[in-house]
Amino acid sequence: MRCITVGHTILAASGRWTPSFFFGAANVPLAAYEMIELRQLVSVSKKAIDPQTLGACQISYIGLENVRPETGELVGFEPKLASSIKSRSKVFGPGDILFGRLRPELNKVYLVDGEPSEGVCSGEFIVLVPITSQVSARYIRHIIASPFVSRFVEKFRVGASLPRMAANDLLGIRVPVPPLEVQEQIALKLAEMDQELRNLRRRVEELPGQQRETLMEAVGGR
């Protein structure tokens, strides 16, 4: 059993009553560069609309179910009728990063890069806008999905059955920030690996069908 003592002043100032917050994140990953708070690298977009007001038009809507954990790939996405979306939704644009605040331990972090280039998303995302004079969008997406941030999930999530992470807590996390030219080099390599991952995923999805075709051709004598 882990035990600590928290003074009343610290407890009152924190506004927290969860033990996980005070145990904190003990194992800090090593970094060769200056650690900077995310709030200096990204801003939070609060743009939102009610899709019901758009009528029967098709819109690009991303829900939490459309982002694969860890890798941040878009899955099962297709445009929807605006009238079918019943709740107020956040607006995203090119280069934005969608951070899944509901059950943040799933690590759903999506970079808007390609199609859809703009649209709306579930209110359970925090929409982050990279400050491009400070960070590369792809670099910071991968950093947000890395142990530098994910190790704080237990500390900051609030709620029992539906735990969430607040934007202000996310923005207060420190991450390593190399010079921009180094970030761009890292981002290029990460982009190559992202594409390789997509290619491998596509190959894996195609293999079962190819196996069936091979079997039918063999037993059919063709």
Side-chain angles (χ1 to χ4, degrees):
M1 178 181 293
R2 299 169 65 193
C3 297
I4 59 172
T5 299
V6 180
H8 177 268
T9 302
I10 296 175
L11 185 65
S14 70
R16 306 292 181 123
W17 300 90
T18 53
S20 59
F21 177 81
F22 295 100
F23 280 116
N27 299 317
V28 180
L30 296 176
Y33 298 98
E34 182 183 4
M35 302 290 285
I36 298 177
E37 286 190 352
L38 279 171
R39 69 178 75 255
Q40 298 180 48
L41 307 171
V42 298
S43 62
V44 174
S45 173
K46 297 184 179 179
K47 295 178 183 177
I49 62 170
D50 180 359
Q52 293 286 305
T53 63
L54 302 177
C57 69
Q58 294 267 337
I59 62 172
S60 295
Y61 176 84
I62 296 177
L64 285 172
E65 69 278 7
N66 296 129
V67 177
R68 194 183 295 275
E70 303 294 339
T71 64
E73 298 164 88
L74 200 60
V75 294
F77 167 81
E78 58 183 22
K80 292 185 176 182
L81 281 175
S83 57
S84 70
I85 303 168
K86 306 302 181 183
S87 58
R88 191 168 178 81
S89 303
K90 296 179 179 178
V91 177
F92 66 81
D96 289 351
I97 297 167
L98 311 185
F99 176 88
R101 71 187 187 103
L102 176 64
R103 296 185 64 196
E105 69 276 8
L106 294 179
N107 203 10
K108 294 192 172 192
V109 187
Y110 175 66
L111 170 64
V112 182
D113 178 34
E115 293 298 329
S117 60
E118 58 184 9
V120 298
C121 62
S122 166
E124 296 296 356
F125 284 110
I126 300 171
V127 179
L128 303 172
V129 182
I131 302 171
T132 54
S133 62
Q134 300 294 322
V135 289
S136 154
R138 188 174 299 276
Y139 171 80
I140 201 63
R141 180 269 152 199
H142 279 275
I143 282 292
I144 291 172
S146 77
F148 287 101
V149 171
S150 60
R151 66 192 173 91
F152 285 98
V153 166
E154 183 181 0
K155 176 183 176 73
F156 287 128
R157 66 181 183 180
V158 177
S161 60
L162 294 173
R164 291 178 171 85
M165 190 169 180
N168 196 50
D169 288 332
L170 176 64
L171 295 178
I173 296 173
R174 293 179 178 272
V175 298
V177 183
L180 267 175
E181 58 271 20
V182 176
Q183 290 181 45
E184 292 297 343
Q185 293 171 10
I186 295 171
L188 284 173
K189 183 62 177 178
L190 291 172
E192 293 174 3
M193 297 176 75
D194 284 341
Q195 185 58 53
E196 182 180 5
L197 181 61
R198 287 191 291 268
N199 293 340
L200 289 171
R201 187 89 63 191
R202 190 178 304 113
R203 178 65 176 149
V204 168
E205 291 171 350
E206 292 171 350
L207 279 175
Q210 293 175 358
Q211 286 179 322
R212 288 192 295 270
E213 290 177 8
T214 300
L215 176 62
M216 295 309 292
E217 288 176 1
V219 300
R222 289 179 290 175

Coordinates of all heavy atoms in Angstrom, one line a residue, residues 163-200:
P163 N -14.2 8.8 -16.7 CA -13.1 9.7 -16.3 C -12.8 10.7 -17.5 O -12.7 10.2 -18.6 CB -12.0 8.8 -16.0 CG -12.3 7.5 -16.7 CD -13.8 7.4 -16.7
R164 N -12.5 11.9 -17.2 CA -12.1 12.9 -18.2 C -10.9 13.7 -17.7 O -10.6 13.7 -16.5 CB -13.3 13.9 -18.4 CG -14.5 13.3 -19.2 CD -15.6 14.3 -19.3 NE -16.7 13.8 -20.2 CZ -17.7 13.0 -19.8 NH1 -17.8 12.7 -18.5 NH2 -18.6 12.6 -20.6
M165 N -10.2 14.3 -18.7 CA -9.1 15.1 -18.4 C -9.4 16.5 -18.8 O -9.9 16.8 -20.0 CB -7.8 14.6 -19.1 CG -6.5 15.2 -18.7 SD -5.1 14.3 -19.4 CE -3.8 15.2 -18.8
A166 N -9.2 17.5 -18.0 CA -9.5 18.9 -18.3 C -8.4 19.5 -19.2 O -7.2 19.2 -19.1 CB -9.6 19.7 -17.0
A167 N -8.8 20.5 -20.0 CA -7.9 21.1 -20.9 C -6.8 21.8 -20.2 O -5.6 21.8 -20.5 CB -8.6 22.1 -21.8
N168 N -7.1 22.5 -19.0 CA -6.1 23.2 -18.3 C -5.0 22.3 -17.7 O -3.9 22.7 -17.6 CB -6.8 24.0 -17.2 CG -5.9 25.1 -16.6 OD1 -5.3 25.9 -17.4 ND2 -5.7 25.1 -15.3
D169 N -5.4 21.1 -17.3 CA -4.4 20.2 -16.8 C -3.5 19.7 -17.9 O -2.3 19.6 -17.7 CB -5.1 19.0 -16.1 CG -5.8 19.3 -14.8 OD1 -5.3 20.3 -14.1 OD2 -6.8 18.7 -14.5
L170 N -4.1 19.5 -19.1 CA -3.3 19.0 -20.2 C -2.3 20.1 -20.6 O -1.1 19.8 -20.8 CB -4.2 18.7 -21.4 CG -3.5 18.4 -22.7 CD1 -2.8 17.1 -22.6 CD2 -4.6 18.3 -23.9
L171 N -2.7 21.4 -20.6 CA -1.8 22.5 -21.0 C -0.7 22.7 -20.0 O 0.3 23.3 -20.4 CB -2.7 23.7 -21.2 CG -3.7 23.7 -22.3 CD1 -4.5 25.1 -22.3 CD2 -3.0 23.5 -23.7
G172 N -0.9 22.3 -18.8 CA 0.2 22.5 -17.8 C 1.3 21.4 -17.8 O 2.3 21.6 -17.1
I173 N 1.2 20.4 -18.6 CA 2.2 19.4 -18.7 C 3.4 19.9 -19.5 O 3.2 20.5 -20.6 CB 1.6 18.1 -19.4 CG1 0.5 17.5 -18.5 CG2 2.6 17.0 -19.6 CD1 -0.3 16.4 -19.1
R174 N 4.6 19.6 -19.0 CA 5.8 20.0 -19.7 C 6.3 18.9 -20.6 O 6.3 17.7 -20.3 CB 6.9 20.3 -18.7 CG 6.5 21.5 -17.8 CD 7.6 21.8 -16.8 NE 7.4 23.0 -16.1 CZ 7.7 24.2 -16.4 NH1 8.4 24.4 -17.5 NH2 7.4 25.3 -15.7
V175 N 6.7 19.3 -21.8 CA 7.2 18.3 -22.8 C 8.5 18.9 -23.4 O 8.8 20.1 -23.3 CB 6.2 18.1 -24.0 CG1 4.9 17.5 -23.4 CG2 5.9 19.4 -24.7
P176 N 9.4 18.0 -24.0 CA 10.6 18.4 -24.5 C 10.4 19.1 -25.9 O 9.7 18.7 -26.7 CB 11.4 17.1 -24.7 CG 10.4 16.1 -24.9 CD 9.2 16.5 -24.0
V177 N 11.1 20.2 -26.1 CA 11.0 21.0 -27.3 C 12.3 21.3 -27.9 O 13.1 22.2 -27.5 CB 10.2 22.3 -27.0 CG1 10.0 23.1 -28.3 CG2 8.9 22.1 -26.3
P178 N 12.7 20.5 -28.9 CA 14.0 20.8 -29.7 C 13.8 22.1 -30.5 O 12.7 22.6 -30.7 CB 14.2 19.6 -30.6 CG 13.1 18.6 -30.1 CD 12.0 19.4 -29.5
P179 N 14.9 22.6 -31.1 CA 14.8 23.7 -32.1 C 13.9 23.2 -33.3 O 13.8 22.0 -33.6 CB 16.2 23.9 -32.6 CG 17.0 23.4 -31.4 CD 16.3 22.2 -30.9
L180 N 13.2 24.2 -33.9 CA 12.3 23.9 -35.0 C 12.9 23.0 -36.1 O 12.2 22.1 -36.6 CB 11.7 25.2 -35.6 CG 10.4 25.7 -35.0 CD1 10.1 27.1 -35.6 CD2 9.3 24.7 -35.2
E181 N 14.1 23.3 -36.5 CA 14.8 22.5 -37.5 C 14.9 21.1 -37.1 O 14.8 20.1 -38.0 CB 16.1 23.1 -38.0 CG 17.2 23.2 -36.9 CD 17.1 24.5 -36.1 OE1 16.1 25.2 -36.1 OE2 18.2 24.9 -35.5
V182 N 15.2 20.8 -35.8 CA 15.3 19.4 -35.4 C 13.9 18.8 -35.3 O 13.7 17.6 -35.7 CB 15.9 19.4 -33.9 CG1 15.9 18.0 -33.4 CG2 17.3 20.0 -34.0
Q183 N 12.9 19.6 -34.9 CA 11.5 19.1 -34.9 C 11.1 18.7 -36.3 O 10.5 17.6 -36.5 CB 10.5 20.2 -34.4 CG 10.6 20.5 -33.0 CD 9.6 21.5 -32.6 OE1 8.5 21.5 -33.0 NE2 10.0 22.5 -31.8
E184 N 11.4 19.5 -37.3 CA 11.1 19.2 -38.7 C 11.7 17.9 -39.2 O 11.1 17.1 -39.9 CB 11.4 20.3 -39.6 CG 10.6 21.6 -39.4 CD 9.1 21.4 -39.7 OE1 8.8 20.4 -40.3 OE2 8.4 22.3 -39.2
Q185 N 13.0 17.6 -38.8 CA 13.6 16.4 -39.1 C 12.9 15.2 -38.5 O 12.7 14.2 -39.1 CB 15.1 16.5 -38.7 CG 15.9 17.5 -39.4 CD 17.3 17.7 -38.8 OE1 17.7 16.9 -37.9 NE2 18.0 18.7 -39.3
I186 N 12.6 15.4 -37.2 CA 11.9 14.3 -36.5 C 10.5 14.1 -37.1 O 10.1 12.9 -37.4 CB 11.7 14.7 -35.0 CG1 13.1 14.8 -34.3 CG2 10.8 13.7 -34.3 CD1 13.0 15.3 -32.9
A187 N 9.8 15.2 -37.5 CA 8.5 15.1 -38.1 C 8.5 14.3 -39.4 O 7.6 13.6 -39.7 CB 7.9 16.5 -38.3
L188 N 9.5 14.6 -40.2 CA 9.7 13.9 -41.5 C 9.8 12.4 -41.3 O 9.2 11.6 -42.0 CB 10.9 14.4 -42.3 CG 10.7 15.8 -43.0 CD1 12.0 16.3 -43.6 CD2 9.6 15.7 -44.1
K189 N 10.6 12.0 -40.3 CA 10.8 10.6 -40.0 C 9.5 10.0 -39.5 O 9.1 8.9 -39.9 CB 11.9 10.4 -39.0 CG 12.2 9.0 -38.7 CD 12.7 8.2 -39.9 CE 13.1 6.8 -39.6 NZ 13.5 6.0 -40.8
L190 N 8.8 10.7 -38.6 CA 7.5 10.3 -38.1 C 6.5 10.1 -39.2 O 5.7 9.2 -39.2 CB 7.0 11.2 -37.0 CG 7.8 11.3 -35.7 CD1 7.4 12.4 -34.8 CD2 7.8 9.9 -35.0
A191 N 6.5 11.0 -40.2 CA 5.5 11.0 -41.3 C 5.8 9.7 -42.1 O 4.8 9.0 -42.5 CB 5.7 12.2 -42.2
E192 N 7.0 9.3 -42.3 CA 7.4 8.1 -43.0 C 6.8 6.9 -42.3 O 6.3 6.0 -42.8 CB 8.9 8.0 -43.2 CG 9.5 9.0 -44.2 CD 11.0 9.0 -44.2 OE1 11.5 8.1 -43.5 OE2 11.6 9.8 -44.9
M193 N 7.0 6.9 -41.0 CA 6.6 5.8 -40.1 C 5.1 5.7 -40.1 O 4.5 4.6 -40.0 CB 7.2 5.9 -38.7 CG 8.7 5.8 -38.7 SD 9.5 6.1 -37.1 CE 9.1 4.5 -36.3
D194 N 4.4 6.9 -40.0 CA 2.9 6.9 -40.1 C 2.4 6.3 -41.3 O 1.5 5.5 -41.3 CB 2.4 8.3 -40.0 CG 2.5 8.9 -38.6 OD1 2.6 8.1 -37.6 OD2 2.5 10.2 -38.4
Q195 N 3.1 6.6 -42.5 CA 2.6 6.0 -43.7 C 2.9 4.5 -43.8 O 2.1 3.7 -44.3 CB 3.4 6.7 -44.9 CG 2.9 6.3 -46.3 CD 1.4 6.5 -46.5 OE1 0.9 7.6 -46.3 NE2 0.7 5.4 -46.9
E196 N 4.0 4.1 -43.3 CA 4.4 2.7 -43.2 C 3.3 1.9 -42.4 O 2.9 0.8 -42.7 CB 5.8 2.5 -42.6 CG 6.2 1.0 -42.6 CD 7.6 0.8 -42.0 OE1 8.2 1.8 -41.6 OE2 8.1 -0.3 -42.0
L197 N 2.9 2.5 -41.3 CA 1.9 1.9 -40.4 C 0.6 1.8 -41.1 O 0.0 0.7 -41.1 CB 1.7 2.8 -39.1 CG 0.7 2.3 -38.1 CD1 1.1 0.9 -37.6 CD2 0.6 3.3 -37.0
R198 N 0.2 2.8 -41.9 CA -1.0 2.7 -42.7 C -0.9 1.6 -43.7 O -1.9 0.9 -43.9 CB -1.4 4.1 -43.3 CG -1.8 5.1 -42.3 CD -2.4 6.3 -43.0 NE -1.4 7.1 -43.7 CZ -0.7 8.1 -43.1 NH1 -0.9 8.4 -41.9 NH2 0.2 8.8 -43.8
N199 N 0.2 1.5 -44.4 CA 0.4 0.5 -45.4 C 0.3 -0.9 -44.8 O -0.3 -1.8 -45.4 CB 1.7 0.7 -46.1 CG 1.8 2.0 -47.0 OD1 0.7 2.5 -47.3 ND2 3.0 2.5 -47.3
L200 N 1.0 -1.1 -43.7 CA 1.0 -2.4 -43.0 C -0.4 -2.7 -42.6 O -0.9 -3.9 -42.7 CB 1.9 -2.4 -41.9 CG 3.4 -2.4 -42.2 CD1 4.3 -2.2 -40.9 CD2 3.8 -3.7 -42.9

